[in-house]
Amino acid sequence: TIMKDNQALGQGSAGRGGCLCFAVSDRWQLNVQGVTFENNSADWEGSVIYYETSMTNLVTWYFEEVEFLNNHAGTIGTIYAPMIPEVSGSMEFQSVRWSQNTAKKAPALYTTAGRLMSNIKMSNCIIQDNQATTEWSAMALIFSTDSTVQIEGCQFTNNSSDRKSTRLNSSH
C-alpha cells in the first residue's frame, strides 16, 4: 500500500495529519503493515499521522515493515502523538524506516506518555537523513516514570537539527 502526495493545509486543526488524523476517546488499536508513506505534508503537526486523545483510553500501536519517506511537517513529526498521562497501552515499531523527513522538531516521531504507557519498543528500524530546522533531530520520546523503552538493532544515521544558540542580552 502506498500513501503519497497527501496534504493537510491550513492553520490549527486543518493543518494536522497529512494522511491520517485520529481523535480518539476510547480503546483504540492501530495496526499498520507493509505501507509506504511518501511526500506527504501537514502545515502543522503530523505530516503522516496526527493522533489526539481527550480522555483516558487504552492504546495499542503496531507498525511493521513501514516506510516514511520525504514527508514534511510545518511544526512537529511524521507521527505526532501526544498522549495524556492517563493513557495506557503500548507502541511497537518493527522494521520501520524513517528517511529524509523534515519538520521544525522531531521530523520522524514525537510522542509523550504518562506512567501508564507501559511498553514502547523499536526493533530493526532505520532512522536516517531526517532534518529538524530547530531541535530534536530525529525523534522525541517524552515519558514519565515507569515506562519501558526498548530500542534494539536500530540504526540512527545522519539526522540533524539546525538549532541556533541564542544569548539573552541585558543592558544595565
Side-chain angles (χ1 to χ4, degrees), residues 95-151:
S95 300
V96 174
R97 179 178 171 216
W98 284 273
S99 183
Q100 299 178 339
N101 299 291
T102 60
K104 284 184 180 176
K105 299 178 181 182
L109 171 65
Y110 174 88
T111 189
T112 63
R115 61 184 172 76
L116 300 176
M117 186 60 115
S118 60
N119 187 27
I120 294 86
K121 183 177 182 181
M122 297 180 71
S123 54
N124 303 315
C125 294
I126 297 172
I127 302 91
Q128 69 181 22
D129 299 323
N130 298 288
Q131 184 178 17
T133 58
T134 59
E135 60 188 339
W136 306 333
S137 66
M139 299 181 171
L141 308 174
I142 303 168
F143 304 105
S144 66
T145 60
D146 297 329
S147 293
T148 300
V149 178
Q150 270 185 292
I151 299 176

Side-chain angles (χ1 to χ4, degrees), residues 5 8 20 38-39 43 52 70-71 73-74 76 78 85 126 129 138-139 142 149 158 161-162 164 167 169:
D5 299 325
L20 306 168
E38 186 174 2
N39 296 328
D43 285 349
E52 177 181 297
N70 197 39
N71 299 290
I76 302 175
T78 299
I126 297 172
D129 299 323
M139 299 181 171
I142 303 168
V149 178
N158 203 34
S161 63
D162 294 332
K164 307 290 188 251
R167 181 185 302 175
N169 293 318

Side-chain angles (χ1 to χ4, degrees), residues 68-90:
F68 297 96
L69 308 173
N70 197 39
N71 299 290
H72 174 74
T75 57
I76 302 175
T78 299
I79 299 174
Y80 180 78
M83 300 189 194
I84 61 172
E86 294 80 17
V87 170
S88 63
S90 64

Side-chain angles (χ1 to χ4, degrees), residues 34-56:
V35 178
T36 298
F37 296 97
E38 186 174 2
N39 296 328
N40 300 290
S41 64
D43 285 349
W44 287 91
E45 296 106 349
S47 60
V48 174
I49 298 172
Y50 175 86
Y51 169 84
E52 177 181 297
T53 183
S54 60
M55 58 189 311
T56 304

Side-chain angles (χ1 to χ4, degrees), residues 21-30 50-59 61 84 87:
C21 185
F22 302 103
V24 179
S25 62
D26 202 355
R27 293 178 183 260
W28 190 67
Q29 181 173 337
L30 178 62
Y50 175 86
Y51 169 84
E52 177 181 297
T53 183
S54 60
M55 58 189 311
T56 304
N57 59 10
L58 174 64
V59 174
W61 285 34
I84 61 172
V87 170

